[in-house]
Amino acid sequence: MNLDTLDRDIDTERLVLRPLSEADLDDLFAVHGDDDVTHFLPSRTWTSRDDALAWLARHHAMHDERRVRRWVLVDRTDGRRIGDCMLFNFEAPAARAEIGFVLGRADWGRSLMREAAGALIATAFEALALRRIEAFADPQNGASDRLLRALGFVHEGTFRQRVVVKGEVRDSNAYGLLRDEWERLSLAR
Ligand SMILES: CC(C)(COP(=O)(O)OP(=O)(O)OC[C@H]1O[C@@H](n2cnc3c(N)ncnc32)[C@H](O)[C@@H]1OP(=O)(O)O)[C@@H](O)C(=O)NCCC(=O)NCCS
């Protein structure tokens, strides 16, 4: 079992989650080139095409080492790539992995990432036989906290001084979602 089983599109009502490619970079500039969007992310804000290409090269290296899979969120109505989400830190023996997500500011507040992350979580639990999915978010990141809780994640604690974001040492809230919790929630939806 490895991440190759996830090399495919994931369909939702309003979106197609499509494996990342270089053709996505122009649209993704509106996402990763916006300081408001990257505020809580360890990665730097893109200011040039070279930044985007360097980001893509890092992604490809991790992809080829089977450390990450990343999808762009394609809006079905107009084909715009409006953000991306990823699955990484997959540990097959422990049956766990971590998710991350980012959405362009123009599309915040439409529950689009809830739709995308929900589909990614369902696919990952199924395809990789995961027992647990993890996520980390800055304690000040209210939107991420709301989203993760809405997806069923439980806040399990705070890791102190875990990351450096834009040169500042920051704590991280740790969240976990267990497969049986997800299945119960899915049945109730
Ligand atoms: C986190 C993010 C993906 C959420 O995406 P989204 O599609 O806008 O999420 P939703 O529309 O489902 O909204 C999430 C919830 O947060 C709430 N929210 C939005 N901004 C908020 C804020 N600043 N503080 C508190 N809550 C906020 C919304 O009202 C919504 O709550 P509700 O479901 O109870 O109504 C998006 O804000 C984003 O990309 N942020 C920048 C990148 C980032 O921080 N990524 C996560 C790193 S861990």
Side-chain angles (χ1 to χ4, degrees):
M1 188 89 63
N2 65 52
L3 290 180
D4 293 349
T5 56
L6 295 177
D7 283 338
R8 54 188 154 99
D9 290 358
I10 300 171
D11 291 316
T12 77
E13 192 184 327
R14 292 176 288 172
L15 302 165
V16 181
L17 277 53
R18 192 176 292 154
L20 175 70
S21 75
E22 186 170 345
D24 300 319
L25 293 184
D26 285 347
D27 280 5
L28 288 183
F29 209 92
V31 180
H32 293 271
D34 181 340
D35 284 330
D36 286 343
V37 174
T38 66
H39 183 72
F40 292 115
L41 305 182
S43 54
R44 52 188 286 244
T45 308
W46 300 354
T47 58
S48 66
R49 176 127 185 119
D50 281 350
D51 285 346
L53 288 170
W55 178 87
L56 186 70
R58 284 196 301 279
H59 164 78
H60 278 152
M62 291 190 294
H63 177 282
D64 293 348
E65 292 169 9
R66 296 208 175 97
R67 288 167 54 201
V68 67
R69 288 297 181 269
R70 192 186 287 261
W71 295 259
V72 288
L73 277 57
V74 183
D75 186 326
R76 283 183 185 277
T77 57
D78 54 16
R80 276 181 313 132
R81 284 80 149 182
I82 60 172
D84 60 81
C85 59
M86 62 177 175
L87 194 83
F88 60 115
N89 285 343
F90 171 49
E91 298 276 349
R96 71 176 149 82
E98 184 175 340
I99 59 163
F101 37 75
V102 55
L103 187 69
R105 194 155 34 119
D107 294 289
W108 286 357
R110 300 172 57 207
S111 296
L112 283 166
M113 194 54 82
R114 190 161 159 179
E115 190 172 314
L120 172 57
I121 288 164
T123 302
F125 270 132
E126 172 75 19
L128 299 174
L130 298 178
R131 194 191 61 261
R132 171 184 167 84
I133 296 179
E134 300 174 347
F136 289 88
D138 191 286
Q140 300 294 318
N141 194 343
S144 194
D145 179 76
R146 297 284 302 162
L147 170 62
L148 288 165
R149 289 176 194 271
L151 288 164
F153 281 81
V154 173
H155 175 213
E156 297 177 329
T158 301
F159 287 17
R160 296 172 302 156
Q161 301 187 9
R162 178 173 173 267
V163 287
V164 178
V165 178
K166 316 288 181 291
E168 192 187 335
V169 177
R170 309 277 308 173
D171 295 348
S172 289
N173 280 351
Y175 299 83
L177 175 63
L178 304 183
R179 183 193 189 93
D180 56 353
E181 294 169 344
W182 172 257
E183 285 172 351
R184 274 202 302 277
L185 284 168
S186 302
L187 287 175
R189 273 185 192 117

